[in-house]
Amino acid sequence: MTKKDIEQYEIDVDDIFDDDLADDHGLKDEFLTDQSAAEVYMKPFKIHGQPIELFIHRSMFKEVNLSIEARADLSIHITVPEDFDLEQTDQAVETLRPQIEAVYEQARIANDRLLSMWVLKTMDDSDGVLFFGQLYPLHYKVGEWYKPYYRVDFENRECVITVPEDGGEIIEMVKAITKELEARTQVVFESYLNYYLTRFEELPEKMPTIQLVEYLPTPTSVDLETGMISINPTLSQFPEGCVEYCAASALCRLIDLGNQKLHEEYMDKAMPDWRRWASEFEI
């Protein structure tokens, strides 16, 4: 932003929010420091007579698509393009009411059901997705241009799931989150495999390949004859150090061919703190 842009930015905020409103909510200073949106303000809104926190975010870009997001705290956030006429907010919100109510209902149901299935409810009962040992608050977003896709993003320490305009199905949300967790786990696992191929003094006779296997009783399983490493998808819930340990240990098995004494010797050289991460699995 240039100095001229910032001055106009302040004028725009004053035009939209009078001083009393800005001061009462303590939001004006936040608007002037938030470079991701031109304005953000709360609008009174009710669903079935229940007051709901609804926020309008006007983007700084004209190309932004209108989207509706329900967060884990059940607040509603609507993002609109830069050229959106804020005087039409009331009309727009009422027009969007069916979609707002749909995504709100999905968020409410998900808080009760989704998080008790695959996505976890842990850490002082905070709602979110446990990914590599960190809890990512789960937020929901709906936008017409996404239809009919489900998309999951881990960004800004949050898990954002985009669902179709009609709100989507819970089981499809579970599948989408599970698929994303599995894909990211496999990528991280492969990267550590490649790293430890340069750390061990010897190369395995069978170069490793990997696959995800549900209901595996252990974090990983190694086939010494084929070089296939099977990964338990729930490995995504453990700290990343555990994933690194599993990759190093699996690769080491293909080198030591089951010799436990050699295994420990090789692991001590390649990953000195491996016992710390192994203890996470109580082995």
Side-chain angles (χ1 to χ4, degrees):
M1 271 189 174
T2 64
K3 182 177 180 181
K4 183 177 179 181
D5 291 333
I6 294 175
E7 290 174 350
Q8 184 60 48
Y9 187 20
E10 295 180 358
I11 292 173
D12 289 343
V13 172
D14 285 332
D15 287 343
I16 296 167
F17 304 99
D18 59 45
D19 291 337
D20 291 338
L21 178 62
D23 291 340
D24 286 346
H25 290 280
L27 296 175
K28 185 175 177 181
D29 289 340
E30 180 182 338
F31 296 152
L32 300 180
T33 58
D34 181 5
Q35 301 299 303
S36 64
E39 297 92 26
V40 182
Y41 69 97
M42 182 187 296
K43 172 179 171 52
F45 189 73
K46 291 185 177 181
I47 293 181
H48 305 311
Q50 178 73 27
I52 302 298
E53 291 186 344
L54 186 147
F55 297 87
I56 304 294
H57 302 249
R58 190 166 78 168
S59 173
M60 296 187 65
F61 306 100
K62 293 181 181 179
E63 295 79 11
V64 170
N65 293 276
L66 186 147
S67 65
I68 305 170
E69 176 183 351
R71 299 189 175 175
D73 62 2
L74 298 183
S75 61
I76 301 293
H77 298 257
I78 301 177
T79 300
V80 297
E82 180 189 30
D83 55 1
F84 179 78
D85 185 358
L86 289 170
E87 293 184 359
Q88 302 298 317
T89 298
D90 289 345
Q91 179 181 347
V93 168
E94 285 307 313
T95 300
L96 293 170
R97 177 176 283 275
Q99 290 93 329
I100 294 172
E101 291 183 352
V103 73
Y104 173 83
E105 183 64 13
Q106 288 296 330
R108 186 189 66 78
I109 294 173
N111 278 351
D112 294 335
R113 293 173 54 196
L114 174 64
L115 299 175
S116 64
M117 295 170 67
W118 167 256
V119 188
L120 304 180
K121 180 177 288 186
T122 58
M123 297 185 181
D124 299 326
D125 292 326
S126 297
D127 293 337
V129 179
L130 195 59
F131 180 52
F132 288 161
Q134 298 293 321
L135 191 71
Y136 287 70
L138 183 60
H139 292 169
Y140 309 87
K141 188 173 183 180
V142 61
E144 183 174 1
W145 75 283
Y146 293 113
K147 189 176 181 180
Y149 306 107
Y150 290 81
R151 193 177 74 184
V152 178
D153 295 296
F154 288 89
E155 55 188 28
N156 300 323
R157 307 301 268 173
E158 297 176 349
C159 175
V160 181
I161 178 166
T162 302
V163 299
E165 187 179 13
D166 59 6
E169 298 292 335
I170 289 179
I171 190 62
E172 295 302 323
M173 293 184 193
V174 174
K175 289 179 180 178
I177 293 174
T178 300
K179 183 178 180 180
E180 183 65 20
L181 288 173
E182 291 177 349
R184 288 175 179 250
T185 301
Q186 185 164 337
V187 167
V188 172
F189 193 95
E190 286 180 337
S191 69
Y192 281 122
L193 271 183
N194 292 330
Y195 171 73
Y196 280 98
L197 278 170
T198 66
R199 294 280 294 175
F200 288 114
E201 297 177 356
E202 302 179 36
L203 291 175
E205 293 183 7
K206 296 287 186 178
M207 293 303 290
T209 55
I210 66 174
Q211 64 178 355
L212 292 167
V213 178
E214 294 185 8
Y215 312 117
L216 197 67
T218 56
T220 58
S221 177
V222 182
D223 188 325
L224 300 180
E225 293 185 2
T226 64
M228 177 64 72
I229 301 173
S230 300
I231 307 173
N232 189 323
T234 59
L235 191 59
S236 64
Q237 299 170 15
F238 290 87
E240 189 169 337
C242 294
V243 183
E244 179 181 359
Y245 157 72
C246 287
S249 180
L251 180 61
C252 189
R253 284 296 180 205
L254 292 176
I255 297 173
D256 63 51
L257 300 178
N259 185 317
Q260 185 61 28
K261 184 177 180 180
L262 283 179
H263 183 83
E264 294 182 6
E265 179 182 331
Y266 292 161
M267 288 294 292
D268 285 339
K269 291 181 180 179
M271 187 181 182
D273 64 344
W274 68 272
R275 289 179 176 81
R276 169 194 170 191
W277 300 110
S279 66
E280 295 282 339
F281 302 111
E282 299 181 349
I283 59 176

